[in-house]
Amino acid sequence: MEPGSKVTLRWRGKILRGVFVKEDKGFIVLKLSNGYNVGIPKDEAEILSVEGREHIGKPRFHYRPVQNPDLPKVGIAATGGTIAARVDYVTGAVTAEFTVEDLVNTFPELNELATLVPRQVSNIFSENMVPSIWREIARGVYELLKESDGVVVTHGTDTMHYSTAYLSFALSTPKPVVFTGAQRSSDRPSSDAALNLLSSVYVAGYSPLKGVFLSMHESSSDGWNAVHLGTRVRKMHTSRRDTFRSIGRDPVARVYIEARGGRIVRKEFQLLDPEWTREHPLELRDHLNENVALLKYFPGMKKELFERVLLEHDGVVIEGTGFGHVREELIPLIKEAVDSGVFVGITSQTIYGRTHSHVYSTAVKMEEAGAVFLEDMLPETAFAKLVWVLGQTKDLERARDLMLTNVAGEITERSGIEWKL
Ligand code: ASP
C-alpha cells in the first residue's frame, strides 16, 4: 500500500475507511475523514479494498488572479495554521506548509468575489505564535488596508482570539479586518477552510463593518458563518467547526456563502450590531511589551510560584476564581509586586460574568493591595491588552486608566447578555 491510498478494512466487525499513512510496529496507521489518525493491528485487519492515492495537498485548481476593477480588492495576510496546512502522509501529521499562493490557488471561487492582494506574514501553527508576531500581523494588515477594501487574516485557531484581541487594540481601521481559520486542513474533503475563507473574503470586501473580527462556522455543519467581535471571542471546543463563540455578547453579523462547481451560487450578509459600522481613521498603534504574563490561579498554588511570576514581569493578568479571587495568603505578594511597579490585573476563570471587588472580603483585600479588577474582560483579551498598554506606559495609574477604558468593545455594558452557551 502506498501512503495516500484510500483503504477500506474490517477490524473487530467494524468497517473503517481512511487514507493509509504508514505501517508502524505492526500497526496500520489510517487517517480517518475526521482528521484523526488510528492505528489498527495489522494481523487483526482484513483489507477489503485499496484505491489510488488521494490528492495530497497540491492545489486542486490553478488560481489566476483576476484584476477585475468591478470587484473589491481584499488583502490576504497569511500566518499559517490548519487552514494553510496539509496532511503529510509520511508522518501522518498535519503540517503548516501552504503558502498564501497555494491557499488562494486552492479556491478558484475567490476569483468571483475579489481581486486578492496576498501577503505572507508567517507560516506557523498558532501555538507557536508570540506577541512580536502579533505586531508583524498588525503591520502587515495596516499596509494591506492602504491598498484594499478589507483584509482577511488566515490564522491557526488555537490562539486566534489572542491575535484578534491584540489587533483590535493595535489597529484603528475604517474597513473590515476578518480573521479566519479551519479545524480541518484544506486538503481534507471535510475541510471547513473553503467556506471560512470565502465567507471572510465576502465580509472583508463587501460588508460595512469596521474593526477587527473573527469569522468561522456558526454551527457544526456548513451553512451560516458567525462574525464575532475580535475582543469578545474565544475558542471553546478542541475540534468542532463552530469552536469560536462570542462571550457575553452576540456576534456582530452572520454571513452565508454557497459555492457549487467552482462558482458562488448564493451570498448573503446580515448585520446584527450596527455599532461596528461606525467610522474610524486608519491608524497603527503597535505598542508592545513582551514581558507580560497570564496566570491561572489554582487551589494550592505555591507562594514561590505566584511570587516569581509576579515579580519577573512588568504586568500580570490573573485568572482568579469566581469573582476574581486568589488565596488570602497570596495577597501580600500582590502588594509587594504592585509596590515594585508591577501591574496586576484580575479576570475570572469562569469566563462568563463580571469580576467584582466588593462581594467577598478576599477581593476587597486584593483591591486594597493594588490589584485592578478588569470588569468582564476575557482573560486572553486582557492579556493582549496589557501587552499593548505596557508597551506605551510603565506608569501604573495610566495603565489602570487604559485597562479600564473600553477601547474596542472588550468590556460589555452591564445590561449585556452575560450568559449564553
Ligand atoms: N494547532 C493549529 C493552530 O492553531 C490548529 C488550527 O489551526 O486549527 O495553528
Side-chain angles (χ1 to χ4, degrees):
M1 270 186 294
E2 252 192 293
S5 313
K6 287 184 218 156
V7 174
T8 306
L9 58 75
R10 194 192 326 261
W11 175 63
R12 297 193 180 166
K14 273 185 297 188
I15 301 287
L16 294 173
R17 284 188 193 84
V19 174
F20 175 67
V21 174
K22 60 179 171 182
E23 235 186 86
D24 191 18
K25 298 184 188 102
F27 285 84
I28 295 173
V29 180
L30 284 190
K31 182 163 286 284
L32 304 178
S33 61
N34 60 13
Y36 294 118
N37 293 347
V38 285
I40 314 286
K42 194 179 172 197
D43 50 8
E44 292 180 18
E46 182 191 346
I47 309 285
L48 300 176
S49 74
V50 179
E51 289 165 49
R53 284 159 72 98
E54 95 155 5
H55 151 77
I56 56 168
K58 284 284 167 242
R60 281 175 286 157
F61 307 98
H62 186 65
Y63 173 77
R64 276 180 221 90
V66 175
Q67 300 293 328
N68 183 342
D70 297 335
L71 292 179
K73 266 191 172 179
V74 172
I76 306 265
T79 71
T82 296
I83 190 165
R86 63 177 181 180
V87 177
D88 179 336
Y89 286 104
V90 177
T91 62
V94 175
T95 54
E97 270 201 22
F98 271 22
T99 62
V100 67
E101 279 79 15
D102 291 335
L103 187 68
V104 292
N105 279 347
T106 311
F107 306 111
E109 299 89 348
L110 290 166
N111 271 341
E112 287 187 36
L113 285 181
T115 296
L116 301 173
V117 189
R119 189 182 180 109
Q120 192 79 43
V121 178
S122 59
N123 205 1
I124 55 171
F125 285 127
S126 73
E127 54 270 35
N128 299 323
M129 204 40 87
V130 289
S132 60
I133 304 181
W134 298 344
R135 177 154 68 181
E136 292 310 312
I137 303 172
R139 289 177 177 172
V141 170
Y142 174 71
E143 292 304 325
L144 285 170
L145 282 168
K146 290 184 196 164
E147 50 169 327
S148 62
D149 298 292
V151 172
V152 170
V153 183
T154 57
H155 196 292
T157 56
D158 284 13
T159 67
M160 198 191 301
H161 50 298
Y162 290 79
S163 298
T164 58
Y166 178 77
L167 262 81
S168 302
F169 302 120
L171 206 60
S172 159
T173 166
K175 301 168 185 171
V177 175
V178 188
F179 277 69
T180 196
Q183 292 278 66
R184 320 262 189 284
S185 58
S186 314
D187 62 343
R188 306 297 315 161
S190 59
S191 176
D192 46 342
L195 197 68
N196 290 342
L197 188 65
L198 291 170
S199 303
S200 303
V201 168
Y202 185 51
V203 174
Y206 297 79
S207 82
L209 291 175
K210 293 163 183 68
V212 177
F213 309 96
L214 185 160
S215 178
M216 294 272 292
H217 276 51
E218 188 185 68
S219 75
S220 59
S221 48
D222 286 351
W224 288 88
N225 262 30
V227 182
H228 306 278
L229 187 65
T231 52
R232 298 280 334 164
V233 63
R234 197 166 186 279
K235 185 169 183 175
M236 299 299 281
H237 198 281
T238 54
S239 57
R240 282 178 68 105
R241 293 148 178 252
D242 55 348
T243 173
F244 282 98
R245 299 295 166 106
S246 284
I247 308 289
R249 60 157 295 138
D250 282 330
V252 292
R254 306 170 76 213
V255 56
Y256 187 96
I257 286 274
E258 199 177 324
R260 243 181 272 141
R263 298 214 70 111
I264 307 281
V265 294
R266 183 178 156 200
K267 46 185 197 280
E268 212 176 312
F269 175 82
Q270 279 179 8
L271 180 66
L272 303 175
D273 185 353
E275 168 73 12
W276 297 97
T277 59
R278 265 192 303 126
E279 289 301 327
H280 299 280
L282 178 62
E283 208 187 311
L284 180 68
R285 313 173 292 219
D286 57 351
H287 314 289
L288 190 86
N289 181 329
E290 292 175 278
N291 196 28
V292 169
L294 173 59
L295 179 67
K296 182 170 187 141
Y297 171 73
F298 56 88
M301 177 179 270
K302 290 201 175 86
K303 276 171 93 171
E304 298 72 34
L305 172 62
F306 189 75
E307 182 174 32
R308 227 172 130 177
V309 175
L310 260 55
L311 293 182
E312 286 188 2
H313 291 93
D314 296 330
V316 179
V317 170
I318 295 174
E319 260 188 40
T321 61
F323 286 123
H325 307 128
V326 298
R327 190 165 79 253
E328 293 228 18
E329 203 192 345
L330 303 179
I331 297 174
L333 300 175
I334 294 181
K335 182 160 176 18
E336 187 191 336
V338 173
D339 287 348
S340 69
V342 179
F343 183 92
V344 178
I346 306 295
T347 60
S348 174
Q349 53 191 249
T350 65
I351 303 300
Y352 283 89
R354 203 167 286 272
T355 59
H356 214 301
S357 56
H358 292 288
V359 180
Y360 292 96
S361 57
T362 315
V364 173
K365 290 180 198 156
M366 286 169 68
E367 195 171 53
E368 279 166 7
V372 180
F373 283 72
L374 298 172
E375 299 285 344
D376 70 340
M377 223 184 293
L378 296 173
E380 297 84 3
T381 298
F383 167 66
K385 187 172 182 185
L386 193 56
V387 167
W388 179 72
V389 163
L390 294 182
Q392 46 194 306
T393 183
K394 286 264 164 67
D395 179 75
L396 289 189
E397 266 317 297
R398 171 97 184 103
R400 178 196 156 87
D401 282 354
L402 279 167
M403 285 303 285
L404 292 175
T405 301
N406 201 3
V407 176
E410 67 276 20
I411 299 169
T412 69
E413 296 300 321
R414 277 176 191 274
S415 55
I417 306 154
E418 293 223 329
W419 170 251
K420 198 177 184 187
L421 270 177

